[in-house]
Amino acid sequence: GWCPLSPTGAQTTQLLVQPPWRPAVLWDRVTLTCQGSGTAGATTWYKDGWHWLKKGPNHIIVSERGTYTCDRPGTGLSPPVIVLNDPLVLQVPGQALLEGDTVTLRCRG
């Protein structure tokens, strides 16, 4: 499933991650999808805080490590998503976790 990185139902831009594990890693062929109001092709993408792609598609396949955000008209800037290229990474499921939840961790390398 998709992984929203801000509260469900909030009237904000959402940046969804597939596969749904955090942190995302390049060797998983990470796809980011920007959801918010506005017309198709109205997404602005940022990488490492810099304007990266204007009037871009709603989804991208990530090919470089970095911190990604997107902007949609009417709902604003998404929370950031960090994509790593580390040889060893400890991952958690992408959904929000609360104290007391049972969680599966993945150590991957």
Side-chain angles (χ1 to χ4, degrees):
W2 290 94
C3 162
L5 294 181
S6 50
T8 304
Q11 291 300 310
T12 60
T13 300
Q14 304 287 313
L15 189 47
L16 309 178
V17 182
Q18 179 65 27
W21 290 88
R22 292 187 301 203
V25 287
L26 277 183
W27 29 276
D28 268 344
R29 189 171 153 66
V30 175
T31 300
L32 301 180
T33 300
C34 191
Q35 288 188 343
S37 65
T39 58
T43 302
T44 300
W45 291 92
Y46 298 87
K47 180 180 177 289
D48 299 325
W50 294 89
H51 187 209
W52 183 51
L53 186 60
K54 188 172 182 173
K55 294 186 179 177
N58 292 342
H59 67 277
I60 57 169
I61 296 172
V62 177
S63 60
E64 296 180 358
R65 67 180 295 158
T67 302
Y68 293 83
T69 54
C70 67
D71 183 84
R72 295 284 294 166
T75 51
L77 196 64
S78 73
V81 168
I82 297 171
V83 180
L84 302 178
N85 195 26
D86 297 352
L88 184 65
V89 66
L90 182 65
Q91 293 180 306
V92 298
Q95 75 268 16
L97 300 172
L98 300 173
E99 185 177 346
D101 286 352
T102 300
V103 63
T104 300
L105 301 178
R106 297 198 315 181
C107 183
R108 300 179 63 213

